[in-house]
Amino acid sequence: MTQDMAWEGPKWLYAFLLGSCALLLYGQSSLATKAKPTEKYFWHSPPAFVDFQRRFLGVFFLFTLTEGLQSVYGEAVYEHYGYARREIGILIVTVHAISLFLGTFLGVAADCIGRRRATIFCGLLQLVGCLARQSRNFYVLCLASVCQGLAISLFPTALEAWLNAEHERLGFRQEWLSRTFWVMALGMGIAAIGVGAFANLMVDRFALGLASPTFVAAAIAALCVFLVLNGWVENVGTQPAQLSKALVNACQALTDRRILLLGWIQATFDISLAAFQFLWTPTLVADGRDIHSGMIYAYLMASLMLGSAIAAMLLCGPFNLRPESFLPLIFVAASLALLVPAYDHQEIGVLVTAFCVYHICVGISLPSLAYLRSIYIQNDRRAGVLSLYHIPVHMGMLFILIQGGILKNIENSTVFYLCILGLLSGSFALHSLDKYRQLTNIAAGDQSTSELHRRH
């Protein structure tokens, strides 16, 4: 079957998803224009906050482009170099193994060496890794995997830690963070669509080779380093600056039941998303079906953008809800969407619809979970805690890659079922977190009342 005959879905779906996203964002903008004078502080940002937001988002989106350009033709580059599936599997497993065994400590170290320095180091790792992927030598490609594994341990951990600490230092309102988070999710979808189109243009139109997008990624990584060097100030979490102290602080934070619950919630979400990215294409091309993967990927990213627009309405107005109140339902909806491929349904239209629903849930969850992390995790140990959150994710992906991708001991449907169970447990943990918060607020109110009575 030729590419022209490949299944690419209904033509109107992409326009519908983007149109719905634009309509929601326009509606929120209209509400901001009509806001009462007493509500202006919430809807309208001061110039200082806008400038701070732009400095951060510029670097974040460039890092997103760097990662996207590396992943578009990730495995295809290795196949083009002539490597077998086993060798490609080793290169991919190396990324997650390095992230688990070395990257965790590097992420924790960001709290003591400084988040700005850690972000610069992340950019340098991306730069070296992208240049190393231009080589056909297996050991040089292993070096590229090591650099990538260390880099994904710092991105977005170090960037998020810097954002929260600098936001607090500058005295901005806590609720304004939710604006930055939903814009990050929206921009990720836009960047992913743009990266796919640009990479295809380089490879198909200009015939620059499958490795050419990673060379562009190296240039963008260098630009990231330049912008951080010239636009960010340093903030350090752990004092004194000792790795052992940072690690102890991060582990102590997990003794707080709320932070531990949030860690489980984050892990279940991240594992399901990582597994989906690994399995969605094999699921659609099962039984020899031919698909237009680039077009379907655009549907998924447009769905993510729609979800981020919904998150903006839920978090920033007009609803102004706490994430714990609606995320349990979103996790349930995501698990139901994954039930379709887990059941091994073969109708491609139904599969793509389920995948779009799942990505709408992802678009809602990304900024909502980020806002929850900003509320519960202390800034002096934020990077360390986020690094510990990633441990079960890398362990889960190593299990999936080795048992499912290399040894073929588990079916794709089994992986989807495990993700469903994880998301359902995450929904229960979110409900428990909300209940714990309510009980804590009631106890705090009772204590304040008792102190007031004693004074009188």
Side-chain angles (χ1 to χ4, degrees), residues 194-226:
V195 160
F198 178 73
N200 289 334
L201 190 67
M202 293 182 68
V203 174
D204 298 334
R205 181 71 178 273
F206 298 108
L208 296 177
L210 291 176
S212 59
T214 59
F215 190 79
V216 176
I220 296 176
L223 179 59
C224 288
V225 173
F226 175 80

Side-chain angles (χ1 to χ4, degrees), residues 169-251:
R169 186 186 71 84
L170 294 174
F172 299 132
R173 292 178 177 270
Q174 169 75 24
E175 59 266 24
W176 288 352
L177 273 170
S178 61
R179 304 184 190 183
T180 305
F181 291 139
W182 76 257
V183 173
M184 288 166 63
L186 179 70
M188 287 171 64
I190 297 174
I193 294 173
V195 160
F198 178 73
N200 289 334
L201 190 67
M202 293 182 68
V203 174
D204 298 334
R205 181 71 178 273
F206 298 108
L208 296 177
L210 291 176
S212 59
T214 59
F215 190 79
V216 176
I220 296 176
L223 179 59
C224 288
V225 173
F226 175 80
L227 292 177
V228 174
L229 281 170
N230 291 277
W232 287 22
V233 298
E234 188 61 270
N235 61 57
V236 180
T238 302
Q239 296 290 350
Q242 298 175 353
L243 178 59
S244 59
K245 180 65 174 176
L247 184 59
V248 168
N249 286 346
C251 293

Side-chain angles (χ1 to χ4, degrees), residues 371-436:
Y371 189 49
L372 276 180
R373 296 193 298 270
S374 73
I375 294 173
Y376 288 112
I377 304 175
Q378 295 172 266
N379 280 332
D380 67 334
R381 60 199 67 187
R382 183 174 300 276
V385 173
L386 294 178
S387 297
L388 296 182
Y389 281 180
H390 292 158
I391 291 177
V393 180
H394 294 305
M395 292 177 65
M397 283 309 299
L398 283 173
F399 174 79
I400 293 171
L401 288 170
I402 295 173
Q403 293 295 322
I406 298 177
L407 301 180
K408 305 295 183 182
N409 288 335
I410 57 174
E411 299 290 335
N412 292 350
S413 59
T414 303
V415 176
F416 280 120
Y417 275 122
L418 292 174
C419 292
I420 290 169
L421 292 176
L423 287 171
L424 291 176
S425 69
S427 177
F428 180 77
L430 278 161
H431 180 72
S432 301
L433 183 63
D434 191 31
K435 288 294 184 182
Y436 189 79

Side-chain angles (χ1 to χ4, degrees), residues 436-452:
Y436 189 79
R437 177 186 63 85
Q438 294 175 13
L439 291 174
T440 303
N441 290 343
I442 293 173
D446 291 342
Q447 184 177 0
S448 299
T449 304
S450 300
E451 291 178 357
L452 184 64

Side-chain angles (χ1 to χ4, degrees), residues 46-59:
F49 175 74
V50 175
D51 178 67
F52 162 71
Q53 196 178 43
R54 286 173 179 170
R55 280 189 292 122
F56 171 78
L57 290 175
V59 173

Side-chain angles (χ1 to χ4, degrees), residues 141-389:
L141 292 175
C142 286
L143 172 63
S145 295
V146 170
C147 291
Q148 185 181 0
L150 293 174
I152 64 175
S153 300
L154 289 173
F155 174 77
T157 298
L159 280 79
E160 182 177 327
W162 184 90
L163 167 68
N164 281 270
E166 191 66 9
H167 185 99
E168 181 182 16
R169 186 186 71 84
L170 294 174
F172 299 132
R173 292 178 177 270
Q174 169 75 24
E175 59 266 24
W176 288 352
L177 273 170
S178 61
R179 304 184 190 183
T180 305
F181 291 139
W182 76 257
V183 173
M184 288 166 63
L186 179 70
M188 287 171 64
I190 297 174
I193 294 173
V195 160
F198 178 73
N200 289 334
L201 190 67
M202 293 182 68
V203 174
D204 298 334
R205 181 71 178 273
F206 298 108
L208 296 177
L210 291 176
S212 59
T214 59
F215 190 79
V216 176
I220 296 176
L223 179 59
C224 288
V225 173
F226 175 80
L227 292 177
V228 174
L229 281 170
N230 291 277
W232 287 22
V233 298
E234 188 61 270
N235 61 57
V236 180
T238 302
Q239 296 290 350
Q242 298 175 353
L243 178 59
S244 59
K245 180 65 174 176
L247 184 59
V248 168
N249 286 346
C251 293
Q252 285 179 344
L254 296 181
T255 60
D256 185 331
R257 181 184 174 188
R258 298 169 302 174
I259 296 178
L260 190 61
L261 281 172
L262 183 57
W264 178 253
I265 294 162
Q266 188 68 52
T268 60
F269 171 78
D270 287 344
I271 290 174
S272 75
L273 183 57
F276 180 90
Q277 292 171 346
F278 181 66
L279 295 176
W280 76 271
T281 302
T283 301
L284 291 180
V285 299
D287 298 333
R289 288 179 299 216
D290 195 7
I291 63 170
H292 195 303
S293 57
M295 195 65 199
I296 296 174
Y297 183 71
Y299 295 154
L300 301 184
M301 293 302 100
S303 300
L304 187 148
M305 292 166 59
L306 176 57
S308 69
I310 295 172
M313 301 286 284
L314 295 174
L315 294 171
C316 303
F319 300 106
N320 301 323
L321 300 176
R322 285 188 64 94
E324 304 98 313
S325 63
F326 61 83
L327 273 181
L329 296 178
I330 301 301
F331 271 47
V332 171
S335 64
L336 290 176
L338 293 183
L339 190 62
V340 175
Y343 185 68
D344 202 24
H345 190 89
Q346 294 300 315
E347 174 56 43
I348 190 168
V350 177
L351 282 171
V352 172
T353 301
F355 290 175
C356 287
V357 171
Y358 174 74
H359 272 75
I360 291 174
C361 296
V362 170
I364 298 172
S365 300
L366 282 172
S368 302
L369 289 173
Y371 189 49
L372 276 180
R373 296 193 298 270
S374 73
I375 294 173
Y376 288 112
I377 304 175
Q378 295 172 266
N379 280 332
D380 67 334
R381 60 199 67 187
R382 183 174 300 276
V385 173
L386 294 178
S387 297
L388 296 182
Y389 281 180

Side-chain angles (χ1 to χ4, degrees), residues 17-70:
L17 292 169
L18 291 182
S20 300
C21 176
L23 185 63
L24 287 176
L25 295 177
Y26 175 78
Q28 193 193 38
S29 176
S30 299
L31 288 172
T33 304
K34 299 175 183 178
K36 299 177 182 178
T38 56
E39 299 173 344
K40 291 292 184 182
Y41 79 91
F42 188 84
W43 291 99
H44 299 282
S45 305
F49 175 74
V50 175
D51 178 67
F52 162 71
Q53 196 178 43
R54 286 173 179 170
R55 280 189 292 122
F56 171 78
L57 290 175
V59 173
F60 176 82
F61 289 144
L62 286 175
F63 267 114
T64 303
L65 291 175
T66 301
E67 290 210 331
L69 285 169
Q70 292 181 75

